[in-house]
């Protein structure tokens, strides 16, 4: 009864209607509410199958070296420590160490490399002015050239061939690159697990066909779309906006001056808190389920005659989206009960913001344990990257269980705070407020 | 405040500098402008404050004005800080950031005066901000992240509309009180 009462209170509130409008608008704006026309079809021999990244030493090593060298010369390294771009400049000692690493990789002289960087470059290349220019001969060897005013003779004289030493093993290369990443403070493309980004190779017909078959067999097609829907939905709506709903519903009693009345009721604190929590969560998930089915239904007609899984959106709603929504609601309820203020907006807001800006640089980062909103942003052109999902399923499971567990702890915490308030042992931030008020009173008295 | 932690603000060129300014610093407008009407939304406080001889509209206006100046001061300081970190930030970019913040803040203020609930009011500008990620350029002159492409025209629209919406919210608040 209590649950139904709370549910009714939630669903018929203006804030919930606003939440639904927000969810529709936000998901629609990302194109995840209507997938019609975005059909995945069996690859045909001879067409372009897109690219993929592969950990191939012969592709990765020259590309990574070239990139590192270009950044070294400019002393301007691009990193993504928390997803967002960060330009790193190194001091002389650190640049020297990078030069040593490049020398180690190429087998060249450290001093020679060190003096090519920045302004020294102009001095060492007499008669050549302008920016540096890296050119590749297509065989993993590249060389530097002056950009302007150079004549053929100078180019020939100053041409420095760069290539990875022949006896350099990939393990050793990775270790050196990891050291570069450490010097840069992490988050660079040179981190051992990010190096794969340099190994861009075209996808073959066989691979494209295998990926397509996997979508058909493992995802039953609708699974791929449901995953893309969940990716957007959880990142932009369900890991943040439910916090508003939780705060508004939690403060309603106080605004209506009913808190004290409720405290005197027989119902146990845990029951009141839990029923309220479940009611908000049910309302939030109702939106998720309805929207996911609207989204999924738009693709059904494109695949008539094929085996589709009509229950898969439900699995994604509860498996992928719900733990994030649970967390947002729990944070909202707990902090509101604890502080009597809407501080949860700031807390959840900053958390969500940082999480969203962590981006999707690598698959492992997208599925990392502490990701509030796991990401898997792959559409039909990437064949939904089903294999990545299968490979990372255990990580996803661990992540989602962690967030669900955290929410349960927060709900129990809310009930404990609620009970303490009821017994008059604790009254939110009233103590702090009173302390401030006392200070002001003292000041007023002394002025008088 | 957390911008420098999550986003490097050193050694950025103009395009890169626009990102933290537009995406992070702009949000300050929501935090500062939205709660302007909040203290009097509690009926006990309203009952005490409203009968005073100084009109509440004057108080709200004063709050809006000093919030605006605080915003400018903060953004200017942030700009100076970025310049000290050798990022290429121009005066025009700081004005653009103020325009974003004022517009987002004005949405919050309008929502606050219409709903009488500050928490709901925070939602509206947050949603608008988020729509800029997805709908992006479809928002035309109201696109918040235009400085990245060196397009400053939307900033004029944002600043003007923001100012109008702030005055509109003050006006609605006044009308509401008259009707009571």
């Amino acid at each position: 009864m209590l649950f139904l009462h709370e549910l009714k209170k939630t669903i018929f509130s203006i804030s919930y209607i606003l939440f639904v409008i927000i969810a529709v608008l936000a998901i629609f704006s990302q194109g995840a509410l209507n997938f019609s026309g975005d059909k995945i079809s069996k690859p045909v021999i001879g067409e372009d199958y897109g690219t993929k990244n592969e950990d191939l030493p012969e592709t990765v090593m020259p590309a990574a070296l070239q990139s590192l060298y270009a950044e070294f010369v400019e002393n301007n390294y691009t990193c993504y420590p928390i997803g967002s771009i960060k330009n790193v400049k190194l001091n002389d000692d650190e640049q020297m160490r990078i030069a040593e690493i490049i020398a180690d990789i190429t087998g060249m002289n450290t001093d020679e490399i060190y003096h090519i960087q920045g302004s020294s470059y102009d001095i060492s290349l007499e008669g050549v002015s302008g920016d540096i220019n890296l050119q590749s001969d297509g065989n993993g060897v590249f060389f530097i050239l002056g950009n302007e005013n150079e004549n053929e003779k100078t180019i020939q004289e100053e041409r420095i061939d760069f290539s990875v030493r022949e006896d350099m093993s990939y393990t050793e290369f990775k270790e050196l690159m990891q050291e570069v990443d450490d010097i840069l403070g992490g988050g660079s493309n040179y981190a051992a697990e990010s190096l794969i980004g340099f190994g861009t190779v075209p996808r073959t017909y066989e691979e494209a066909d295998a990926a397509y078959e996997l979508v058909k067999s493992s995802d039953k097609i609708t699974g791929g779309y449901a995953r893309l829907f969940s990716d957007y939905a959880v990142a932009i709506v369900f890991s943040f906006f439910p916090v508003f709903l939780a705060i508004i519903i939690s403060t309603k009693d106080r605004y209506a001056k009913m808190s004290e009345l409720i405290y005197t009721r027989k119902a146990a604190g845990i029951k009141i808190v839990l029923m309220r929590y479940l009611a908000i969560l049910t309302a939030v998930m109702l939106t998720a389920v309805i929207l996911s089915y609207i989204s999924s239904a738009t693709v059904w007609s494109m695949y008539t005659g094929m085996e589709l899984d009509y229950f898969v959106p439900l699995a994604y709603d509860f498996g992928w989206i719900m733990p994030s929504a649970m967390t947002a609601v729990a944070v909202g309820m707990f902090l509101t009960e604890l502080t009597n203020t809407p501080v949860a907006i700031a807390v959840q807001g900053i958390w969500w913001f940082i999480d969203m800006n962590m981006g999707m640089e690598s698959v492992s980062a997208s599925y990392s344990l502490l990701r509030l909103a796991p990401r898997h942003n792959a559409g039909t052109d990437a064949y939904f990257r089903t294999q990545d999902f299968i490979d990372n399923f255990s990580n996803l499971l661990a992540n989602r269980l962690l967030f669900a567990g955290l929410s349960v702890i927060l709900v129990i915490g809310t009930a404990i705070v609620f009970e303490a308030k009821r017994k008059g042992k604790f009254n939110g931030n009233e103590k702090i407020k009173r302390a401030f008020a006392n200070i002001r009173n003292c000041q007023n008295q002394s002025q008088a | 405040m957390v911008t420098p932690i999550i986003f490097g603000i050193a050694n950025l060129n103009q395009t890169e500098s626009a990102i933290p300014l537009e995406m992070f610093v702009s949000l300050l407008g929501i935090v500062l402008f939205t709660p302007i009407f909040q203290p009097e939304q509690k009926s006990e406080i309203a009952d005490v404050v409203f009968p005073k001889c100084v009109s509440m509209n004057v108080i709200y206006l004063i709050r809006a004005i000093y919030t605006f100046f605080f915003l400018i001061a903060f953004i200017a300081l942030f700009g100076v800080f970025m310049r000290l970190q050798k990022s290429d930030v121009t005066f025009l970019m700081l004005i653009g950031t103020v325009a974003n913040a004022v517009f987002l803040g004005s949405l919050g203020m309008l929502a606050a005066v219409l709903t009488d609930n500050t928490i709901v009011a925070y939602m509206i500008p947050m949603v608008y901000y988020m729509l800029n990620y997805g709908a992006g350029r479809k928002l035309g002159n109201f696109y918040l992240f235009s400085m990245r492409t060196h397009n400053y025209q939307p900033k004029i629209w944002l600043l003007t509309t923001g100012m109008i919406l702030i005055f509109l919210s003050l006006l609605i608040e006044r009308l509401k009180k008259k009707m009571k």
Side-chain angles (χ1 to χ4, degrees):
Chain A
M1 272 317 287
L2 189 57
F3 171 75
L4 283 179
H5 177 77
E6 287 286 343
L7 186 64
K8 220 168 89 183
K9 197 172 83 181
T10 309
I11 286 184
F12 291 107
S13 67
I14 296 176
S15 45
Y16 180 67
I17 297 167
L18 208 63
F19 172 78
V20 175
I21 296 172
I22 288 168
V24 173
L25 256 176
I27 299 172
F28 179 77
S29 76
Q30 302 283 349
L33 212 50
N34 184 3
F35 289 121
S36 59
D38 191 12
K39 192 181 173 188
I40 188 166
S41 42
K42 198 171 168 59
V44 182
I45 295 176
E47 65 181 11
D48 180 20
Y49 313 109
T51 57
K52 57 166 186 150
N53 289 325
E54 215 168 272
D55 207 8
L56 294 171
E58 59 273 25
T59 324
V60 171
M61 290 204 285
L65 175 65
Q66 182 167 350
S67 162
L68 175 65
Y69 183 75
E71 293 196 326
F72 163 77
V73 174
E74 303 246 321
N75 191 5
N76 190 359
Y77 302 84
T78 307
C79 300
Y80 299 86
I82 316 183
S84 299
I85 187 170
K86 180 174 185 178
N87 290 0
V88 176
K89 254 189 173 48
L90 296 179
N91 63 31
D92 289 345
D93 289 345
E94 290 165 331
Q95 276 289 83
M96 190 55 166
R97 181 63 199 133
I98 302 279
E100 279 169 16
I101 291 171
I102 296 175
D104 199 0
I105 294 169
T106 56
M108 289 175 63
N109 185 302
T110 308
D111 283 341
E112 195 181 345
I113 293 169
Y114 183 73
H115 288 294
I116 286 171
Q117 63 159 318
S119 57
S120 340
Y121 169 73
D122 289 330
I123 301 162
S124 65
L125 287 180
E126 231 180 348
V128 180
S129 62
D131 298 329
I132 58 120
N133 185 5
L134 288 169
Q135 293 197 358
S136 170
D137 67 357
N139 295 319
V141 177
F142 67 98
F143 45 89
I144 49 168
L145 294 173
N147 210 13
E148 295 164 24
N149 306 332
E150 69 268 66
N151 53 46
E152 282 297 314
K153 194 163 167 280
T154 322
I155 294 169
Q156 290 307 318
E157 280 172 3
E158 301 298 340
R159 176 179 155 142
I160 306 170
D161 286 344
F162 261 74
S163 58
V164 179
R165 262 193 301 128
E166 280 188 4
D167 54 341
M168 163 73 56
S169 76
Y170 193 41
T171 328
E172 201 183 338
F173 182 83
K174 270 189 165 171
E175 279 167 12
L176 287 169
M177 282 298 178
Q178 183 57 52
E179 191 186 334
V180 172
D181 184 64
D182 294 341
I183 294 171
L184 294 174
S188 75
N189 293 330
Y190 309 113
E193 70 274 9
S194 307
L195 276 176
I196 191 173
F198 288 107
T200 309
V201 286
R203 195 184 270 123
T204 62
Y205 167 76
E206 286 75 21
E207 286 163 343
D209 194 50
Y212 171 74
E213 289 302 326
L214 197 62
V215 174
K216 255 174 69 180
S217 61
S218 171
D219 275 337
K220 302 276 187 294
I221 302 201
T222 39
Y225 290 100
R227 194 156 54 234
L228 190 57
F229 171 86
S230 306
D231 170 56
Y232 283 122
V234 82
I236 58 174
V237 179
F238 292 97
S239 55
F240 176 47
F241 285 98
V243 79
F244 287 95
L245 214 53
I247 298 169
I248 293 168
I249 305 285
S250 305
T251 47
K252 253 187 180 166
D253 294 339
R254 210 154 37 83
Y255 277 132
K257 302 190 178 45
M258 284 294 131
S259 296
E260 284 74 15
L261 251 172
I262 294 170
Y263 289 156
T264 60
R265 295 292 158 110
K266 263 192 209 153
I270 186 80
K271 191 180 166 195
I272 296 177
V273 169
L274 191 67
M275 287 304 135
R276 178 166 294 168
Y277 178 73
L278 289 178
I280 299 172
L281 191 65
T282 309
V284 169
M285 287 313 295
L286 197 66
T287 317
V289 171
I290 293 173
L291 292 183
S292 69
Y293 268 94
I294 291 176
S295 161
S296 188
T298 60
V299 306
W300 294 345
S301 62
M302 288 194 292
Y303 301 99
T304 38
M306 288 170 86
E307 191 194 347
L308 302 181
D309 185 347
Y310 295 102
F311 290 104
V312 79
L314 218 51
Y316 276 94
D317 289 338
F318 290 104
W320 191 302
I321 298 178
M322 198 167 79
S324 296
M326 281 171 79
T327 311
V329 176
V331 168
M333 279 182 68
F334 177 70
L335 290 179
T336 309
E337 197 63 53
L338 187 71
T339 66
N340 285 346
T341 64
V343 70
I345 299 179
V347 173
Q348 191 69 17
I350 291 172
W351 188 8
W352 168 70
F353 202 68
I354 293 175
D355 195 76
M356 204 165 70
N357 280 290
M358 277 166 84
M360 301 157 276
E361 286 305 315
S362 67
V363 180
S364 59
S366 305
Y367 282 101
S368 68
L369 185 65
L370 297 176
R371 214 50 214 264
L372 174 64
R375 304 301 312 260
H376 189 104
N377 200 273
T380 47
D381 48 351
Y383 298 98
F384 298 119
R385 287 201 279 111
T386 312
Q387 191 60 49
D388 282 347
F389 174 70
I390 296 170
D391 293 345
N392 285 284
F393 186 74
S394 56
N395 294 339
L396 178 73
L397 199 67
N399 166 298
R400 299 289 76 188
L401 284 175
L402 177 76
F403 279 89
L406 177 75
S407 314
V408 173
I409 294 172
L410 283 174
V411 173
I412 296 171
T414 313
I416 294 172
V417 175
F418 182 86
E419 280 296 342
K421 275 179 159 178
R422 187 186 226 181
K423 289 175 185 156
K425 284 182 187 162
F426 176 77
N427 199 6
N429 61 356
E430 286 304 314
K431 264 189 188 164
I432 304 167
K433 270 190 191 164
R434 220 171 291 148
F436 274 107
N438 281 340
I439 295 170
R440 259 181 297 184
N441 284 345
C442 288
Q443 281 173 349
N444 290 344
Q445 277 168 6
S446 61
Q447 275 168 7
Chain B
M1 287 288 196
V2 292
T3 308
I5 305 167
I6 51 179
F7 194 98
I9 53 166
N11 313 311
L12 303 175
N13 62 30
Q14 278 194 21
T15 314
E16 290 162 349
S17 301
I19 300 172
L21 285 173
E22 287 184 315
M23 285 178 59
F24 300 78
V25 183
S26 302
L27 291 172
L28 191 67
I30 304 181
V31 181
L32 292 180
F33 280 104
T34 312
I36 278 185
F37 302 113
Q38 194 189 14
E40 287 76 22
Q41 277 171 353
K42 271 191 182 167
S43 56
E44 305 94 329
I45 293 178
D47 291 344
V48 176
V49 176
F50 288 164
K52 304 254 167 169
C53 55
V54 181
S55 159
M56 265 328 281
N57 298 303
V58 179
I59 308 269
Y60 289 141
L61 188 67
I62 293 170
R63 276 187 206 159
I65 291 171
Y66 77 63
T67 303
F68 182 64
F69 281 112
F70 178 77
L71 183 79
I72 291 179
F74 184 89
I75 290 173
L77 264 177
F78 199 86
V80 170
F81 186 59
M82 281 183 79
R83 282 211 81 119
L84 285 177
Q85 302 259 332
K86 297 189 186 118
S87 285
D88 192 2
V89 179
T90 61
F91 182 65
L92 210 58
M93 288 171 76
L94 295 181
I95 306 259
T97 314
V98 173
N100 269 11
V102 167
F103 180 73
L104 287 172
S106 72
L107 286 182
M109 265 179 86
L110 191 65
V113 79
L114 291 178
T115 61
D116 255 341
N117 187 329
T118 311
I119 301 157
V120 174
Y122 280 119
M123 280 170 99
I124 306 294
M126 279 310 291
V127 175
Y128 186 78
Y129 170 81
M130 215 191 47
L131 279 180
N132 280 271
Y133 277 87
R137 286 170 212 290
K138 284 181 204 147
L139 297 166
N141 279 324
F142 292 97
Y143 180 46
L144 292 174
F145 309 143
S146 67
M147 280 195 319
R148 246 177 265 181
T149 48
H150 305 285
N151 180 8
Y152 292 92
Q153 203 192 331
K155 301 300 171 197
I156 304 168
W157 284 83
L158 287 169
L159 190 63
T160 323
T161 320
M163 295 281 196
I164 293 171
L165 288 182
I166 289 176
F167 283 108
L168 192 69
S169 353
L170 293 172
L171 205 68
I172 296 174
E173 179 68 25
R174 192 181 160 164
L175 286 175
K176 260 170 68 182
K177 220 166 300 139
K178 275 194 178 163
M179 275 159 61
K180 270 183 189 170

